[in-house]
């Protein structure tokens, strides 16, 4: 009875339940959800970090992301030829996000951010194309538009969840770090000059942000490890069935 209700509801909502009957396709949608959850939070934290702690302007922040874009494009080109790289991509992206958790207020762009950012980009690039191919495999022309759009839906929903969950983790850690610093500095601030006090407050705030965002990156790495498990458990489609699928093709009407 419950399945029949889902069937009727999905027809009214223009999402045929038959699209979700494929274990491989469902796995691709869950991986898309994981990517959105991890990636949106990562960009949110990085933008705040480089602008607040490192003092980057919005333009400089945007330019700092360009190497990541180029690596994603290059890795996607490789993945279009090696469509079995979803597992490797998830592992690489998890490693990159864990590496990001080592970022501190004393790190530099070249020495602390560029490496983990490019590693994460390589992992994401290896995931995007195979995931799109799996989502469109064994699907009829009438359902191709729905099957493709559900990938984007998964990323958008994941992005909202990521900002909520990872934001809660990160800002809770920031608040905890600030409380600890305030307790440790209790009574000693009276001996500081106004300039020294202001510098100490800035240093404390920057350290708290770095500590809090590090916690968020660790959770992001865990989410990407979850996507790896999903790929191992659910995606079993043979490579031959993915041949000839164009993930960039316009959905059929």
């Amino acid at each position: 009875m419950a399945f029949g209700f889902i069937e009727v509801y999905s027809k009214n909502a223009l999402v045929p339940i038959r699209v979700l009957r494929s274990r491989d396709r469902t796995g691709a949608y869950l991986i898309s959800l994981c990517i959105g959850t991890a990636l949106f939070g990562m960009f949110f934290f990085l933008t705040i970090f480089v602008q607040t702690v490192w003092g980057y302007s919005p333009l400089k922040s945007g330019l700092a992301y360009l190497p990541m874009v180029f690596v994603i494009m290059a890795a996607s080109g490789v993945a279009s030829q090696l469509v079995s790289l979803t597992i490797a991509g998830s592992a690489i992206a998890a490693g990159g996000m864990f590496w990001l958790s080592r970022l501190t207020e004393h790190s530099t762009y070249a020495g602390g951010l560029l490496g983990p950012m490019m590693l994460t980009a390589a992992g994401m690039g290896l995931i995007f194309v195979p995931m799109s191919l799996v989502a469109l495999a064994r699907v009829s022309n009438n359902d191709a538009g729905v099957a493709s759009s559900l990938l984007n839906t998964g990323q958008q929903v994941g992005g909202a969840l990521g900002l909520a969950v990872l934001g809660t983790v990160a800002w809770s850690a920031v608040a905890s770090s600030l409380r600890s610093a305030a307790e440790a500095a209790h009574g000693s601030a009276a001996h500081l000059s106004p300039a020294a006090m202001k510098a100490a407050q800035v240093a404390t705030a920057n350290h708290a942000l770095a500590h809090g965002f590090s916690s968020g990156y660790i959770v992001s790495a865990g989410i990407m490890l979850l996507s790896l498990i999903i790929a191992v458990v659910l995606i079993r489609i043979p490579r031959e069935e993915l041949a000839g699928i164009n993930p960039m093709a316009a959905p059929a009407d």
Side-chain angles (χ1 to χ4, degrees):
M1 181 178 293
F3 184 81
F5 172 78
I6 295 174
E7 183 82 36
V8 172
Y9 178 81
S10 65
K11 288 180 180 178
N12 294 333
L14 302 180
V15 179
I17 196 64
R18 60 182 176 272
V19 174
L20 302 176
R21 284 175 179 157
S22 167
R23 182 181 67 178
D24 301 290
R25 192 173 301 113
T26 299
Y29 296 149
L30 291 175
I31 292 173
S32 177
L33 183 70
C34 290
I35 290 175
T37 303
L39 200 60
F40 279 53
M42 185 200 77
F43 279 121
F44 177 72
F45 296 147
L46 272 183
T47 301
I48 294 177
F49 181 86
V50 298
Q51 292 189 15
T52 303
V53 178
W54 288 354
Y56 280 22
S57 67
L59 176 60
K60 189 174 181 179
S61 301
L63 293 175
Y65 290 138
L66 284 181
M68 190 174 190
V69 175
F70 294 143
V71 173
I72 288 177
M73 293 173 61
S76 295
V78 173
S80 65
Q81 304 300 321
L82 303 171
V83 294
S84 59
L85 291 178
T86 302
I87 295 175
S90 297
I92 292 171
M97 290 184 178
F98 181 79
W99 191 2
L100 274 175
S101 71
R102 307 298 94 190
L103 193 66
T104 72
E105 67 273 22
H106 304 297
S107 301
T108 63
Y109 177 77
L113 178 57
L114 186 60
M117 190 170 63
M118 294 183 71
L119 186 65
T120 302
M124 291 298 177
L126 293 177
I127 295 173
F128 286 142
V129 172
M131 185 176 61
S132 299
L133 294 176
V134 172
L136 292 175
R138 304 172 182 168
V139 66
S140 66
N141 291 334
N142 291 334
D143 294 334
V146 174
S148 178
S149 64
L150 283 176
L151 279 177
N152 295 327
T153 300
Q155 291 185 26
Q156 296 300 320
V157 172
L161 290 175
L163 291 177
V165 175
L166 300 181
T168 300
V169 171
W171 293 114
S172 296
V174 169
S176 177
S177 179
L178 289 174
R179 284 195 300 268
S180 299
E183 293 171 359
H186 181 69
S188 62
H191 304 290
L192 299 176
S193 66
M197 184 180 299
K198 183 177 181 180
Q201 290 173 346
V202 171
T204 299
N206 288 344
H207 176 74
L209 285 176
H211 171 72
F213 294 167
S214 173
S215 300
Y217 295 138
I218 290 176
V219 175
S220 293
I223 292 171
M224 290 312 302
L225 285 178
L226 176 60
S227 75
L228 186 153
I229 295 173
I230 292 171
V232 170
V233 173
L234 294 182
I235 297 181
R236 290 285 188 274
I237 189 168
R239 178 177 178 178
E240 294 75 18
E241 294 192 25
L242 302 178
I245 298 176
N246 180 9
M248 302 303 293
D253 294 330

